Amino acid sequence: MELTTVWFIVIAFLWIGYFVLEGFDFGVGMLVGLLGRDDRERRVLINTIGPVWDGNEVWVLVAGGATFAAFPEWYATLFSGFYLPLLLILVALIIRGVAFEYRGKRPEARWKARWDACIIIGSAVPALLWGVAFGNILRGVPINADGEYVGGFVNLLNPFALLAGVATCTLFLTHGAVFVALKTDGEIRHRANRFAARIGLAAAAVTVALAVWLNLTEGTPVSWLVSALAAMSLVGALVANRLGREGWAFIGSAATIALLFVAAFVSLFPDVMPSSLDPAWNLTTTNAASTPYTLRIMTWAAAVGTPVVLVYQAWTYWTFRKRISVAAIPVEPAVPAETAGR
Amino acid sequence: MSAESLARWQFAITTVYHFFFVPITIGLSGLVAGLQTAWVRTGSERYLRLTRFFGKLFLINFAMGVVTGIVQEFQFGMNWSEYSRFVGDIFGAPLALEGLLAFFLESTFLGLWIFGWDRLPRRVHLACIWIVSVGTLLSAFFILAANSWMQHPVGFTLNEARGRAELTDFVAVLTNPVVLVTFPHQIFACYMVGGAFMAAIAGWHLHRLRSATPASEPTAAFRTALKVGAVTLLVSGLGVLVTGDLQGKVMTTVQPMKMAAAEALYETEQPAAFSIITIGSLDGSREVWSIKVPYLLSFLGTGDPQSEIKGINALQQSYEKTYGPGSYSPNIPLSYWTFRIMMGLGFAAMAAGAFLLWKIRRGRLPSGRLWLPLVLVLPFLPLLANSFGWIFTETGRQPWLVFGLLSTAAGVSPGTTVAEVLTSMITFTALYGVLAVVEVRLLITYIRQGLPEVAAVETEPADDVPLSFAY
């Protein structure tokens, strides 16, 4: 297999890993506003992802770095072209990351409420905008002969891309709710279970519409097949959720996200960023790629490094496999702002 | 302002800001790991309390380092897409390796360390913080390898047809003489910051506790922390000196213009004197007053006190011959002063550390009027020395983005508008400003609280005991 194809697969793998892993912690982040009724419940929600969200986030950094190294032209066009959405994503990731670390570091209710808002917004914005970004990549954007994006900002807000954004957002919410049901106990577990059932239906409707649209315009037999598998695993996840088989429901929602992005990357290949102006100006795995020498070095590094990363990240999930519940969260008296502090 | 100058300002602001957190993270992770090791080996509660105390401060700082680091990676593509196209084949590899081999390690094991106090066996938990610390060093190495390639490109060929540099020898990139001296120089500089941070906070608490009985437990613990911090500061300060000297020699060879700019040396001299301080006209044509050490610049630059050091004018002429007309010197006053401020602050930090250590010798407690002001400024001395060092090294490379290959003006994204860059620059500056206030206030709150009470750490809790270090 061509090294450029190998690296297309590696980068697809990194993005899929990112969306499967951070997908549920984006979902949990949004659910802090939807399922957490008081401080202790919100802490339960946040603690379900506490030990892992940071490691999950590194997947996007590695995906970005690997794109830079393997397909510099893709990296340059994508990141300079999608300037404002990426700026919003960066701001969201900044306030979200700081919020996780800082919210518990002072007792005041107002302090916590503000950081909770940062967690919710910081999770919702990337959940929506990553979908918009990928929707645009799949549909093709105005790229000129120099490989430069010339479409401006408003052009990115087209119906297909917005639908893709709603799809990732609802899928991540479903994935997050299923994860909360899997990782918690007591009232919050049941609430997450019920919420997953409802949001899952919405996600299914949007995702099926998106997949049909994508496959009608860009589809190949393989992408049709993979999309169908994605739809089936979402149905499976919802059935498992109804039956209270939370582990299976989580595997199902993870598989849905993974398969949906597999379908996306399959329909994209061999392009990495098609031009809507002229197919001759498409960025492809060959014309956007680094030299074979660089790709060979990167292949060795990835072959050695990736399994190790997978092992220790898996070990993290194993270490923190126990369910947590409100009963385990110590009661911390709410401190009104004026009496708090030093 | 043009999109280019805005992009440059944005890069400067976001990078200098990000780099307030990096040296603290690198230095403090090692020191916290050391304290925890002392606890595991001795079982002394003092070390556990110090580990928890400095660990909390470390985490508050780490969060900011991580989130501001994400901006750095995306910024190359957003504002500097032509640069990314030109160097991606080479520069991207260390960047990707940083993520894959270092950043995953740091963030995953930090999660295990934060939440694993009562979930992991004691030694495994200790290993987590050591792995984090090693991860930060690996991270630094890859980033410095990438940066060093910009200072001194090696192991590549130019592909004129594709208009880019292509990698031919990755080992050469990783063993670039510049990275081999910059890496230890930078790591020692980070440990100066970590040591000063620890010594200063301990010193402030000792000042507060000076009326307490000398035998009180917090006093004893903070004495230990002050000693550990100050000794780290002094030892790594020596490391910075030695490696800085080596770095000067490499720089004279590979970036003579930067060395000449650091000295504001316009005319070639043999032997060359080192200027400790020079007041002159800004264009360097006239020297008003100066203190100079004869032979020292020749010695620092080459190891031979009699050698010739090229001046800015001669270098400008030779660069014009090679690269065509244009100005090839960086901003000279900026180079000259940042270089001196870096060194001055570094020496001041070491002097302050030695003074604090001497004041508490043989069981003495802090006394005298100098103590409090010193502990208050101490952490900022090496921290700002780091900032000025980087401002020197990055602005000293100008007008090049990649020395001799790509000018800064040519690296900027052609498609991004002034409005876009301005929006992101204002957004980041405002956001970073707010976060700075929040972070500093939080640090002060936790520094004031002092050593936490610690319960014995249980490693086999009941099923739903709360995660100990939880949010």
Side-chain angles (χ1 to χ4, degrees):
Chain A
M1 197 190 296
E2 291 284 327
L3 276 179
T4 50
T5 309
V6 171
W7 274 89
F8 182 85
I9 295 169
V10 171
I11 283 167
F13 173 77
L14 289 168
W15 278 110
I16 292 166
Y18 175 63
F19 289 127
V20 167
L21 292 172
E22 188 126 288
F24 74 75
D25 71 51
F26 281 146
V28 174
M30 291 186 271
L31 291 173
V32 165
L34 295 167
L35 291 184
R37 302 235 168 114
D38 59 27
D39 177 53
R40 290 168 84 202
E41 288 188 354
R42 285 192 281 270
R43 276 156 75 195
V44 167
L45 288 170
I46 294 169
N47 279 348
T48 61
I49 54 170
V52 296
W53 72 268
D54 197 2
N56 294 347
E57 193 162 282
V58 177
W59 282 77
V60 77
L61 290 173
V62 179
T67 309
F68 196 174
F71 301 106
E73 302 284 338
W74 186 11
Y75 173 84
T77 305
L78 175 66
F79 284 62
S80 65
F82 292 10
Y83 198 97
L84 293 177
L86 281 166
L87 175 66
L88 286 174
I89 289 175
L90 284 177
V91 170
L93 294 181
I94 289 172
I95 59 173
R96 177 179 191 262
V98 174
F100 281 134
E101 299 294 346
Y102 287 4
R103 100 174 275 283
K105 297 234 170 355
R106 290 183 76 104
E108 299 93 327
R110 215 173 62 174
W111 169 271
K112 290 183 174 168
R114 281 185 186 167
W115 288 122
D116 287 340
C118 287
I119 290 175
I120 296 159
I121 297 166
S123 303
V125 167
L128 189 72
L129 289 185
W130 281 127
V132 174
F134 271 84
N136 277 300
I137 291 175
L138 290 172
R139 198 186 66 123
V141 287
I143 293 175
N144 68 14
D146 297 329
E148 284 292 327
Y149 174 80
V150 290
F153 175 57
V154 181
N155 192 52
L156 297 174
L157 305 176
N158 54 77
F160 180 78
L162 290 174
L163 184 68
V166 176
T168 49
C169 197
T170 49
L171 277 173
F172 293 168
L173 268 172
T174 312
H175 196 33
V178 168
F179 183 74
V180 171
L182 175 66
K183 289 294 296 179
T184 59
D185 222 338
E187 166 60 19
I188 196 127
R189 176 181 175 183
H190 299 297
R191 211 181 299 150
N193 196 289
R194 286 196 299 273
F195 183 82
R198 270 179 287 146
I199 195 74
L201 287 178
V206 178
T207 307
V208 167
L210 180 79
V212 169
W213 191 345
L214 174 68
N215 282 307
L216 284 177
T217 49
E218 315 276 341
T220 63
V222 180
S223 70
W224 273 109
L225 176 70
V226 180
S227 305
L229 288 174
M232 279 161 61
S233 53
L234 186 53
V235 172
L238 294 177
V239 171
N241 180 62
R242 176 134 303 180
L243 299 175
R245 303 295 301 269
E246 284 132 354
W248 285 107
F250 183 69
I251 290 170
S253 60
T256 308
I257 293 169
L259 289 166
L260 190 69
F261 277 94
V262 169
F265 279 102
V266 165
S267 71
L268 190 61
F269 186 82
D271 294 332
V272 292
M273 220 169 148
S275 170
S276 59
L277 301 177
D278 183 343
W281 299 338
N282 288 359
L283 296 183
T284 67
T285 53
T286 40
N287 74 14
S290 284
T291 55
Y293 177 71
T294 296
L295 293 178
R296 210 158 53 233
I297 287 170
M298 297 278 298
T299 306
W300 278 107
V304 175
T306 314
V308 179
V309 171
L310 291 175
V311 166
Y312 65 63
Q313 286 213 335
W315 179 59
T316 307
Y317 285 90
W318 176 251
T319 303
F320 300 107
R321 65 193 177 279
K322 285 174 181 164
R323 286 178 187 274
I324 47 180
S325 71
V326 171
I329 300 288
V331 182
E332 198 179 68
V335 184
E338 47 277 13
T339 61
R342 46 208 85 125
Chain B
M1 266 212 252
S2 66
E4 182 209 333
S5 41
L6 287 168
R8 293 176 72 163
W9 273 109
Q10 182 181 327
F11 199 85
I13 292 168
T14 53
T15 308
V16 170
Y17 189 76
H18 172 61
F19 210 73
F20 288 140
F21 308 103
V22 174
I24 303 181
T25 297
I26 293 177
L28 215 49
S29 65
L31 288 170
V32 170
L35 287 172
Q36 193 175 337
T37 308
W39 169 61
V40 170
R41 289 182 69 103
T42 64
S44 160
E45 199 176 83
R46 173 192 307 180
Y47 292 115
L48 177 59
R49 294 177 76 188
L50 284 171
T51 305
R52 293 271 191 153
F53 176 69
F54 284 105
K56 199 85 140 191
L57 302 178
F58 165 70
L59 291 176
I60 292 170
N61 172 77
F62 186 89
M64 292 286 285
V66 169
V67 296
T68 52
I70 307 175
V71 176
Q72 297 305 99
E73 186 184 296
F74 283 39
Q75 196 170 188
F76 295 120
M78 289 167 77
N79 285 343
W80 301 97
S81 67
E82 284 303 301
Y83 166 80
S84 305
R85 290 176 208 280
F86 184 79
V87 301
D89 198 62
I90 299 158
F91 189 89
L95 211 64
L97 292 185
E98 189 219 3
L100 183 69
L101 303 180
F103 206 27
F104 264 133
L105 212 60
E106 284 168 60
S107 46
T108 309
F109 282 91
L110 191 68
L112 281 156
W113 187 71
I114 298 172
F115 287 86
W117 280 90
D118 52 8
R119 286 282 187 276
L120 294 170
R122 199 167 282 197
R123 278 167 198 279
V124 177
H125 183 254
L126 174 63
C128 290
I129 187 73
W130 277 113
I131 292 172
V132 170
S133 180
V134 171
T136 65
L137 298 183
L138 268 177
S139 240
F141 181 78
F142 286 119
I143 290 303
L144 290 173
N147 180 273
S148 297
W149 189 84
M150 297 164 75
Q151 312 285 348
H152 177 48
V154 289
F156 72 100
T157 75
L158 268 186
N159 181 336
E160 300 284 351
R162 296 228 13 196
R164 68 180 189 182
E166 294 182 344
L167 187 62
T168 55
D169 186 353
F170 192 55
V171 176
V173 172
L174 295 182
T175 57
N176 189 337
V178 178
V179 73
L180 293 184
V181 292
T182 304
F183 177 66
H185 187 65
Q186 181 59 72
I187 297 305
F188 281 127
C190 291
Y191 272 85
M192 282 183 81
V193 174
F197 190 80
M198 187 174 274
I201 290 166
W204 184 76
H205 273 289
L206 284 178
H207 179 80
R208 275 178 71 223
L209 294 164
R210 68 194 184 285
S211 54
T213 50
S216 87
E217 179 50 35
T219 309
F222 282 123
R223 283 185 72 86
T224 307
L226 191 144
K227 282 188 213 156
V228 170
V231 169
T232 305
L233 168 65
L234 292 174
V235 172
S236 42
L238 287 177
V240 168
L241 271 177
V242 173
T243 52
D245 176 60
L246 295 173
Q247 207 180 12
K249 290 176 174 53
V250 173
M251 185 167 71
T252 309
T253 316
V254 304
Q255 287 175 297
M257 183 62 102
K258 195 196 274 187
M259 191 58 170
E263 283 301 310
L265 182 74
Y266 278 85
E267 297 304 327
T268 303
E269 282 186 21
Q270 186 182 15
F274 181 85
S275 143
I276 291 179
I277 204 159
T278 300
I279 310 286
S281 61
L282 280 183
D283 61 2
S285 57
R286 204 162 43 84
E287 186 176 298
V288 179
W289 178 78
S290 68
I291 307 175
K292 287 189 173 168
V293 184
Y295 306 109
L296 185 58
L297 181 56
S298 292
F299 180 72
L300 288 178
T302 64
D304 171 8
Q306 294 293 346
S307 64
E308 176 191 86
I309 299 290
K310 286 248 190 294
I312 294 162
N313 295 338
L315 289 165
Q316 168 72 24
Q317 278 178 2
S318 76
Y319 286 151
E320 275 184 38
K321 253 181 235 158
T322 320
Y323 305 116
S327 168
Y328 295 96
S329 67
N331 183 326
I332 307 293
L334 187 66
S335 295
Y336 182 87
W337 287 110
T338 49
F339 190 61
R340 264 146 204 79
I341 294 171
M342 169 187 79
M343 291 200 292
L345 290 174
F347 284 122
M350 289 174 72
F355 179 79
L356 294 182
L357 209 51
W358 181 71
K359 288 288 272 185
I360 61 158
R361 69 193 184 281
R362 293 199 212 103
R364 284 181 173 80
L365 280 174
S367 61
R369 243 177 287 172
L370 262 180
W371 184 275
L372 192 59
L374 267 187
V375 297
L376 292 180
V377 299
L378 179 58
F380 300 100
L381 299 174
L383 189 62
L384 292 175
N386 268 275
S387 308
F388 280 104
W390 272 108
I391 293 171
F392 166 70
T393 211
E394 294 296 276
T395 60
R397 191 186 57 227
Q398 303 304 326
W400 298 109
L401 204 46
V402 181
F403 185 81
L405 296 178
L406 183 75
S407 74
T408 305
V412 80
S413 301
T416 51
T417 60
V418 171
E420 282 175 329
V421 190
L422 194 63
T423 308
S424 73
M425 194 181 86
I426 292 173
T427 307
F428 284 129
T429 309
L431 182 63
Y432 281 9
V434 172
L435 289 178
V437 174
V438 172
E439 205 244 359
V440 168
R441 289 183 59 176
L442 202 54
L443 278 176
I444 291 172
T445 305
Y446 275 88
I447 289 170
R448 275 168 192 265
Q449 279 179 8
L451 294 180
E453 294 302 325
V454 288
V457 175
E458 297 285 338
T459 40
E460 279 182 44
D463 266 9
D464 57 353
V465 165
L467 298 165
S468 55
F469 229 158
Y471 295 122

